[in-house]
């Protein structure tokens, strides 16, 4: 017993040790104080290494050092070169790389690093090469280039790999130097060391990447058998795939030798190479059936591997292949079924979804029995994948809707989170719409679920569907009980939705009207204003004459023709008076929406998931935009503001400065508004200006600019640059640099220092495109508006391979920046064709409509027919130019 207690105590101690972090609670100030140990005459190497470790931890946790602090740490660390302790020297190399000294400070350590680079100790040589290539500029690199070339072909693989990897990094900043190493890198590709060969091949391909012919020759020479490293073989397989893609459309049969090489890789002794070759072959859009089968066979063998990573990789690849070549994967179904009970739930989920894609109609019932026991053992995110696969299977075999609908109904009543339950409800809704015979059973299943549903959003969605579809069924009365129970038992939001659903039954089914009137009279006394108001309004319509009932029916069943944001704004500005609110006075044009900070969004358990935003570029200018710009000195004479874009981010997230730009288009001017935020608490920026280089925009001439006097921490400011342009459509690319005077903030007084220094920050480029001249707008009826427009321009475009039609639709909407109409931006799951309607106004005045017809072939290549209509033929041409130049 004592021994057992002793063992338990040891286990507790281990658990405590696992949770303890030696860096917990360390502060920058205290660590900088400890760094003074670097200056001691008698160095304590162990303590110095611990302090460097703490400094590296702070840097990697995102802690920023001021210029003064970084300089002091750098000079202190350089004194440690006097120590001969090897572990400490390695820490010194790491610290110098992370601190990244300025060009004035680099000279301090250059001689020490160059001495280490020619040292007899290989560990010093390799690390010195890495550090030198990281911190030095092009001028110094020219002086040490000879040493670097020798290091590339060094006999020691550690040194050679260090030089080659440094070359890969240098290729981004000093490509002209690295390209002169081609001969040495070519020799390193023949190295017997696997890692050196891998790195050398990666660098050689990057050197030649802009020359397709050179890459093709390189691949052709290497596939003859000179590459032995499994890692290098995987790289070569990927490069072969790229050559095959580049040669597509050339002479027929020209890429077959490359497929023969890939087939030989399927028999490589390394399983990593085998899988990579199989993955590349199955992903190819030009692969033939004969070339596909050996890859499928190899993946089937990996399904029975004892290693989980091999089983997962094979199952994931076959799952993807099943979408385009389901018949080719059917041979693997027996092995896939054995993976349903795999201990790794990710593998089991992939196996289930693959079987659902490749299974035949006769095996559906057996497969459902296997899945039933499987569902309780996996997490919600995997369950969602299975639910979506079952939905696709039901659409594929509509005769099996009863068993599949019963399965969905069963798992709907089990425990699960909001996203999981929403996926099931959405699937049932799609099946109800796509399979007419499934309507009544689907509605009954939803009614049973709503009795115990704890999610308000799902309850309102189901009630809305019941109101739309229930009156059309043969026995509409059976749904009334379920709906009225929601009026009695639920919260106010659901009760209001239930009242609207009841009213739809009363308006659509005459025989149910008296019963509905009795139920709505009870709702008039509800304690919630919304419920009472709805009940009163619908009761008045149901008890009124035929005309009143018809008007109420239109308001309930017909889709709303105006944007909800516009209706909300009109109601908020409505001044109650003797004249009633006129809904026809609400604008149908899409107004600009306020930009919401994603960090401020909170999604609760009971909230609806956010819908992904379309990458729209331009919205109608708001009154606030126009007033604010016209109040700036020098801006009032620009005339009417035609369009304003959504903010375009010009900096990466979590950088020291955050800048986004809004493009305001006038008839003869473009105003760039730069919204700048200083996110560094220890700094204040003064005299902030954005210098815009319009050398690549010939039609634009800079007119004036407005700077930000001071930009303290956390306070946003706006800088403006105005360009003059010819009237009409002008496009161009603009390079941007933010310049300012940087002043450090005294932490004791929290005031900026008197003196600062000039600094600048490079921003992303900004483009004015033809799409910036179009404003998103809605139309009441797309069909009638389409028929009223006179000019038409039609053309076809190839969009290349895409994962789905939905991806192609979203990409084109993003390029055009127009408003989707009638919900046409949503594509049915696994659809191979789709038609999307878009609307916009050119320069805020000329109406233009666009009809996009998409089609996907068996190789997932997407074709699009674009038809544009407007009263101005030139506007139609501009729409096509946007796609043609994208």
């Amino acid at each position: 017993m004592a021994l057992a207690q002793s063992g338990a105590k040891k286990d507790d101690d281990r658990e405590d040790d696992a949770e303890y972090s030696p860096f917990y609670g360390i502060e920058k100030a205290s660590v900088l104080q400890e760094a003074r140990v670097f200056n001691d005459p008698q160095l304590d190497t162990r303590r110095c290494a611990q302090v460097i470790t703490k400094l590296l931890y702070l840097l990697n946790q995102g802690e920023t050092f001021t210029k003064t602090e970084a300089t002091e740490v750098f000079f202190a660390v350089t004194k440690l070169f006097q120590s001969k302790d090897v572990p400490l020297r390695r820490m010194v190399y790491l610290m110098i790389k992370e601190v990244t000294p300025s060009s004035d400070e680099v000279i301090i350590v250059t001689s020490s690093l160059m001495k280490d680079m020619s040292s007899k100790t290989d560990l010093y040589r390799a690390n010195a090469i890495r550090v030198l290539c990281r911190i030095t500029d092009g001028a110094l690199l020219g002086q040490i280039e000879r040493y670097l070339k020798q290091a590339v072909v060094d006999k020691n693989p550690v040194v050679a790999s260090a030089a080659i990897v440094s070359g890969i990094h240098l290729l981004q900043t000093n490509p002209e130097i690295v390209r002169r190493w081609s001969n040495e890198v070519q020799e390193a590709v023949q190295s017997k060391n696997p890692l050196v060969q891998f790195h050398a091949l990666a660098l050689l391909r990057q050197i030649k990447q802009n020359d397709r012919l050179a890459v093709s020759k390189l691949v052709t020479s290497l596939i003859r058998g000179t590459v032995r490293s499994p890692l290098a073989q995987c790289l070569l397989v990927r490069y072969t795939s790229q050559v095959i893609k580049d040669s597509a459309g050339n002479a027929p049969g020209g890429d077959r030798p490359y497929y023969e090489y890939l087939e030989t890789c399927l028999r490589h002794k390394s399983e990593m190479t085998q899988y990579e070759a199989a993955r590349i072959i199955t992903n190819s859009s030009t692969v033939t059936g004969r070339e596909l089968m050996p890859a499928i066979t190899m993946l089937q063998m990996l399904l029975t591997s004892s290693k989980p990573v091999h089983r997962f990789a094979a199952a994931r690849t076959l799952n993807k292949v099943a979408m385009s070549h389901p018949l080719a994967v059917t041979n693997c179904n027996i092995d896939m079924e054995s993976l349903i009970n795999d201990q790794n739930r990710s593998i089991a989920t992939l196996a289930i979804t693959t079987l659902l894609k490749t299974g035949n109609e006769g095996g559906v019932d057996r497969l459902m029995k296997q899945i039933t026991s499987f569902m309780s053992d996996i997490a919600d995110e995997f369950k969602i994948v299975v639910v979506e696969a079952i939905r696709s299977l039901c659409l594929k075999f509509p005769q099996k809707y009863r068993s599949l609908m019963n399965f969905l109904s069963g798992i709907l009543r089990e425990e699960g989170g909001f996203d999981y339950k929403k996926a099931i409800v959405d699937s049932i809704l799609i099946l109800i719409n796509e399979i007419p015979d499934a309507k009544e059973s689907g509605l009954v299943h939803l009614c049973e679920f709503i009795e115990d549903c704890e999610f308000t959003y799902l309850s309102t969605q189901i009630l809305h569907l019941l109101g739309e579809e229930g009156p059309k069924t043969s026995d509409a009365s059976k749904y009334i009980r379920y709906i009225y129970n929601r009026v009695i038992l639920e919260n106010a939001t659901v009760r209001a939705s239930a009242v609207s659903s009841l009213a739809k039954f009363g308006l659509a089914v005459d025989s149910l009207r008296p019963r509905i009137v009795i139920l709505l009279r009870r709702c008039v006394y509800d304690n919630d204003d919304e419920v009472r108001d709805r009940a009163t309004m619908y009761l008045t319509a149901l008890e009124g004459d035929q005309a009143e009932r018809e008007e109420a029916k239109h308001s309930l069943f017909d889709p709303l023709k105006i944007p909800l944001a516009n209706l909300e704004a009109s109601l908020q500005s409505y001044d109650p008076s003797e004249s009633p609110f006129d809904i026809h006075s609400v604008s149908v044009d899409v107004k600009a929406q306020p930009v919401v900070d994603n960090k401020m969004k909170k999604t609760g358990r009971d909230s609806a998931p956010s819908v992904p935003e379309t990458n729209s570029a331009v919205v109608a200018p708001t009154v606030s935009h126009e007033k604010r710009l016209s109040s700036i000195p020098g801006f009032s004479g620009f005339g009417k503001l035609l369009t304003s874009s959504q903010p375009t981010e010009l900096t990466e997230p979590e950088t020291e400065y955050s800048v986004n730009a809004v493009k305001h288009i006038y008839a003869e001017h473009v105003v760039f508004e730069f919204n700048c935020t200083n996110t560094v608490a220890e700094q204040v920026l003064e005299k902030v200006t954005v210098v815009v280089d319009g050398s690549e925009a010939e039609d634009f001439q800079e007119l004036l600019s407005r700077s930000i006097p001071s930009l303290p921490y956390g306070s946003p400011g706006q800088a403006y640059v105005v360009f003059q342009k010819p009237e009409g459509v002008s496009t161009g690319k603009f390079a941007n640099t933010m310049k300012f005077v940087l002043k450090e903030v005294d932490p004791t007084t929290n005031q900026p220092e008197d003196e600062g220094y000039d600094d600048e920050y490079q921003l992303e480029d900004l483009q004015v495109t033809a799409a910036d001249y179009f404003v998103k707008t809605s139309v009441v009826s797309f069909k009638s508006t389409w028929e009223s427009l006179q000019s038409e321009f039609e053309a076809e475009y190839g969009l290349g391979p895409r994962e789905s039609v939905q991806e192609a639709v979203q990409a084109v909407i993003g390029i055009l920046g127009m408003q989707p109409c009638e919900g046409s931006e949503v594509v049915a799951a696994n659809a191979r064709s789709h038609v999307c309607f878009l609307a916009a106004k050119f320069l805020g005045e000329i109406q233009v409509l666009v009809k996009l017809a998409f089609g996907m072939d068996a190789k997932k290549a997407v074709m699009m027919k674009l038809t544009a209509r407007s009263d101005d033929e030139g506007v139609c041409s501009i729409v096509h130019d946007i796609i043609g130049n994208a």
Side-chain angles (χ1 to χ4, degrees):
M1 182 69 180
L3 183 63
Q5 289 177 346
S6 174
K9 187 174 188 312
K10 286 181 179 178
D11 287 342
D12 291 341
D13 290 342
R14 286 196 198 100
E15 192 172 345
D16 292 340
D17 290 342
E19 294 178 355
Y20 173 72
S21 170
F23 305 112
Y24 181 76
I26 66 173
E27 296 180 355
K28 182 176 73 170
S30 62
V31 176
L32 291 175
Q33 285 288 101
E34 291 182 53
R36 294 180 179 178
V37 72
F38 301 157
N39 299 318
D40 291 349
Q42 297 296 324
L43 287 176
D44 183 343
T45 56
R46 181 182 177 86
R47 189 180 174 195
C48 288
Q50 290 175 345
V51 174
I52 292 178
T53 303
K54 291 179 180 180
L55 289 168
L56 291 170
Y57 173 80
L58 289 172
L59 288 169
N60 282 279
Q61 290 298 309
E63 189 74 54
T64 56
F65 290 2
T66 65
K67 185 174 177 61
T68 303
E69 291 168 345
T71 301
E72 290 176 355
V73 168
F74 171 72
F75 279 110
V77 169
T78 57
K79 296 179 181 180
L80 299 180
F81 273 105
Q82 60 186 309
S83 172
K84 302 298 182 184
D85 185 76
V86 174
L88 180 59
R89 180 66 63 87
R90 296 183 67 187
M91 298 298 290
V92 170
Y93 291 135
L94 283 173
M95 193 64 206
I96 293 174
K97 279 179 63 179
E98 291 297 324
V99 172
T100 315
S102 65
S103 56
D104 297 335
E105 299 164 348
V106 167
I107 194 67
I108 304 298
V109 291
T110 300
S111 57
S112 298
L113 291 172
M114 291 182 70
K115 181 180 177 182
D116 284 355
M117 195 168 65
S118 55
S119 169
K120 294 181 180 179
T121 306
D122 291 330
L123 185 63
Y124 287 0
R125 294 170 60 204
N127 283 298
I129 288 170
R130 287 193 178 95
V131 177
L132 269 173
C133 292
R134 172 71 176 268
I135 67 175
T136 54
D137 56 15
L140 183 57
L141 283 172
Q143 300 177 26
I144 62 173
E145 183 180 1
R146 179 170 60 88
Y147 298 100
L148 294 175
K149 282 186 175 183
Q150 292 173 355
V152 169
V153 293
D154 196 273
K155 293 180 180 179
N156 187 290
V158 176
V159 177
S161 276
I164 295 169
V165 172
S166 297
I168 293 174
H169 292 299
L170 285 173
L171 201 60
Q172 310 301 320
T173 55
N174 296 277
E176 65 286 345
I177 292 178
V178 182
R179 290 195 182 100
R180 294 199 290 264
W181 304 358
S182 293
N183 293 335
E184 288 76 12
V185 178
Q186 188 83 47
E187 183 179 342
V189 171
Q190 310 303 323
S191 171
K192 294 181 180 180
N193 183 273
L195 207 57
V196 173
Q197 191 175 58
F198 168 63
H199 289 148
L201 178 56
L203 177 55
L204 189 60
R205 192 263 179 180
Q206 287 194 35
I207 291 173
K208 300 175 181 290
Q209 64 181 352
N210 295 324
D211 187 347
R212 286 188 179 183
L213 182 59
V215 172
S216 178
K217 288 180 177 179
L218 172 66
V219 171
T220 303
S221 65
L222 292 177
I223 63 176
R224 294 169 184 165
T226 56
V227 176
R228 296 180 180 85
S229 162
L231 286 170
Q233 279 280 13
C234 288
L235 266 188
L236 185 56
V237 166
R238 293 182 182 181
Y239 298 158
T240 303
S241 168
Q242 188 59 50
V243 171
I244 292 174
K245 287 181 182 178
D246 292 341
S247 63
N250 295 340
D255 54 3
R256 295 303 124 189
Y258 298 115
Y259 276 111
E260 292 173 6
Y261 163 71
L262 294 176
E263 193 171 337
T264 61
C265 290
L266 294 173
R267 300 185 292 274
H268 196 274
K269 61 182 178 181
S270 166
E271 291 174 318
M272 175 172 58
T273 305
Q274 293 172 359
Y275 168 72
E276 191 65 25
R279 186 184 68 85
I280 292 298
I281 291 173
T282 55
N283 284 347
S284 174
S285 59
T286 60
V287 66
T288 63
R290 187 191 67 79
E291 293 158 347
L292 183 63
M293 290 315 298
I296 298 293
T297 303
M298 172 49 60
L299 293 171
Q300 187 176 4
M301 293 172 60
L302 291 177
L303 288 176
T304 59
S305 171
S306 60
K307 298 178 181 179
V309 66
H310 292 164
R311 299 198 302 274
F312 174 79
R316 185 176 64 172
T317 303
L318 287 170
N319 183 276
K320 191 174 181 181
V321 176
M323 298 177 67
S324 54
H325 301 89
L327 294 178
V329 185
T330 52
N331 295 334
C332 307
N333 281 3
I334 295 176
D335 296 303
M336 282 288 184
E337 287 187 22
S338 66
L339 295 179
I340 293 178
N341 299 317
D342 196 283
Q343 292 181 347
N344 187 307
R345 296 290 84 184
S346 299
I347 297 174
T349 305
L350 287 167
I352 284 288
T353 53
T354 304
L355 288 169
L356 289 171
K357 294 172 184 175
T358 60
N360 54 38
E361 191 170 358
V364 169
D365 294 330
R366 178 173 54 85
L367 194 56
M368 287 298 102
K369 291 179 182 178
Q370 291 178 293
I371 297 176
T372 303
S373 59
F374 161 80
M375 291 292 283
S376 59
D377 299 332
I378 59 176
D380 278 4
E381 56 266 30
F382 296 129
K383 291 179 181 179
I384 292 172
V385 175
V386 175
V387 167
E388 290 173 348
I390 290 173
R391 179 181 68 203
S392 301
L393 184 68
C394 192
L395 294 173
K396 183 179 178 182
F397 303 120
Q399 295 82 5
K400 289 292 183 180
Y401 78 87
R402 284 189 177 85
S403 60
L404 296 173
M405 190 74 81
N406 288 335
F407 174 81
L408 292 175
S409 174
I411 61 176
L412 188 58
R413 290 191 291 271
E414 296 175 358
E415 292 294 322
F418 172 80
D419 290 332
Y420 172 48
K421 293 297 181 73
K422 182 179 182 299
I424 301 172
V425 171
D426 288 345
S427 296
I428 294 176
L429 297 183
I430 290 172
L431 297 180
I432 288 172
N433 290 326
E434 296 293 331
I435 306 174
D437 293 341
K439 180 180 293 185
E440 294 207 21
S441 62
L443 291 176
V444 171
H445 290 317
L446 292 177
C447 286
E448 293 170 352
F449 166 66
I450 203 176
E451 293 282 290
D452 301 313
C453 180
E454 56 184 321
F455 300 107
T456 298
Y457 174 79
L458 295 182
S459 296
T460 55
Q461 289 293 96
I462 294 171
L463 286 168
H464 175 74
L465 178 73
L466 287 172
E468 295 286 333
E469 301 295 334
K472 303 174 185 177
T473 59
S474 57
D475 186 10
S477 61
K478 66 182 178 183
Y479 305 109
I480 302 299
R481 174 174 62 86
Y482 295 104
I483 299 173
Y484 187 67
N485 284 346
R486 300 306 96 212
V487 176
I488 301 172
L489 303 174
E490 283 286 1
N491 58 49
T493 303
V494 178
R495 294 203 305 275
S497 184
V499 166
S500 296
S501 186
L502 285 172
K504 291 179 180 180
F505 276 84
L507 290 167
V509 184
D510 291 340
S511 61
L512 293 177
R513 191 183 310 137
R515 182 180 173 186
I516 300 298
V517 168
I518 294 172
L519 297 177
L520 289 180
R521 282 175 179 166
R522 298 173 186 174
C523 301
V524 171
Y525 303 101
D526 195 276
N527 58 7
D528 182 76
D529 292 343
E530 177 73 15
V531 178
R532 287 199 308 272
D533 290 348
R534 288 194 186 195
T536 303
M537 180 180 70
Y538 296 136
L539 193 60
T540 302
L542 287 169
E543 293 179 331
D545 55 22
Q546 183 67 26
E548 290 176 325
R549 289 198 297 273
E550 286 297 324
E551 184 177 353
K553 190 183 295 186
H554 286 307
S555 66
L556 274 173
F557 289 99
D558 292 349
L560 189 64
K561 303 296 185 181
I562 55 178
L564 286 175
N566 295 9
L567 179 59
E568 181 183 6
S570 298
L571 287 170
Q572 289 176 345
S573 61
Y574 171 63
D575 184 16
S577 60
E578 294 182 359
S579 58
F581 177 77
D582 183 10
I583 196 170
H584 300 292
S585 65
V586 181
S587 171
V588 297
D589 291 338
V590 178
K591 303 295 184 185
Q593 300 298 314
V595 180
V596 180
D597 187 353
N598 289 330
K599 296 178 182 178
M600 301 299 293
K601 289 183 180 178
K602 302 291 182 183
T603 304
R605 175 171 172 267
D606 198 14
S607 62
S610 59
V611 179
E613 279 190 32
T614 303
N615 185 23
S616 55
V618 184
V619 294
T622 61
V623 175
S624 59
H625 271 321
E626 197 154 12
K627 284 185 177 179
R628 180 167 50 82
L629 291 172
S630 61
S631 65
I632 299 173
F635 287 22
S636 58
F638 295 162
K640 181 183 177 182
L641 178 59
L642 301 177
T643 68
S644 294
S645 71
Q646 295 281 19
T648 302
E649 295 297 332
L650 302 183
T651 55
E652 295 293 331
E654 300 179 0
T655 53
E656 55 266 49
Y657 311 117
S658 174
V659 182
N660 65 56
V662 178
K663 295 170 282 187
H664 302 287
I665 308 291
Y666 294 83
E668 297 182 0
H669 299 85
V670 174
V671 176
F672 295 120
E673 176 184 345
F674 298 94
N675 300 298
C676 310
T677 304
N678 172 20
T679 60
V680 182
E682 295 84 6
Q683 298 176 358
V684 169
L685 310 185
E686 295 184 354
K687 300 179 182 177
V688 181
T689 60
V690 178
V691 178
V692 180
D693 179 8
S695 57
E696 295 186 46
E698 298 178 355
D699 293 338
F700 295 79
Q701 292 185 351
E702 185 171 345
L703 190 63
L704 55 92
S705 62
R706 293 287 181 266
S707 61
I708 307 171
S710 179
L711 197 63
Y713 167 69
S715 298
Q718 288 76 37
Y720 299 90
V721 180
V722 181
F723 279 81
Q724 192 168 16
K725 69 175 187 66
E727 190 170 355
V729 177
S730 298
T731 61
K733 183 178 180 181
F734 300 84
N736 309 294
T737 306
M738 184 170 71
K739 295 189 175 183
F740 47 85
V741 175
L742 190 151
K743 293 186 177 181
E744 302 284 348
V745 174
D746 189 335
T748 57
T749 64
N750 206 28
Q751 296 295 321
E753 297 176 354
D754 294 334
E755 294 185 2
Y757 58 90
D758 293 336
D759 202 351
E760 64 181 43
Y761 192 82
Q762 190 65 43
L763 306 176
E764 296 290 335
D765 292 347
L766 194 61
Q767 284 190 312
V768 175
T769 65
D772 291 319
Y773 294 85
F774 288 88
V775 180
K776 294 170 63 175
T777 184
S778 296
V779 291
V780 175
S781 171
F782 186 90
K783 182 179 180 181
S784 59
T785 309
W786 177 268
E787 292 173 350
S788 67
L789 300 175
Q790 303 300 318
S791 298
E792 180 179 302
F793 190 165
E794 181 178 288
E796 293 186 355
Y797 301 91
L799 304 183
R802 299 279 177 170
E803 287 297 318
S804 64
V805 177
Q806 180 71 71
E807 179 191 330
V809 171
Q810 293 297 332
V812 176
I813 292 175
I815 292 169
L816 293 175
M818 295 183 177
Q819 175 68 29
C821 300
E822 302 177 1
S824 60
E825 73 276 16
V826 180
V827 182
N830 300 323
R832 291 282 178 176
S833 61
H834 184 71
V835 178
C836 179
F837 306 126
L838 306 178
K841 285 188 176 180
F842 179 66
L843 296 177
E845 297 176 353
I846 303 173
Q847 181 73 63
V848 57
L849 299 184
V850 173
K851 187 182 293 185
L852 306 171
F854 297 87
M856 175 182 280
D857 62 18
K859 297 178 180 178
K860 291 198 170 184
V862 177
M863 290 294 295
M864 178 186 72
K865 182 169 73 173
L866 187 155
T867 309
R869 276 198 180 185
S870 176
D871 285 330
D872 188 328
E873 187 176 351
V875 175
C876 297
S877 300
I878 293 173
V879 174
H880 283 271
D881 289 342
I882 295 173
I883 296 295
N885 296 328

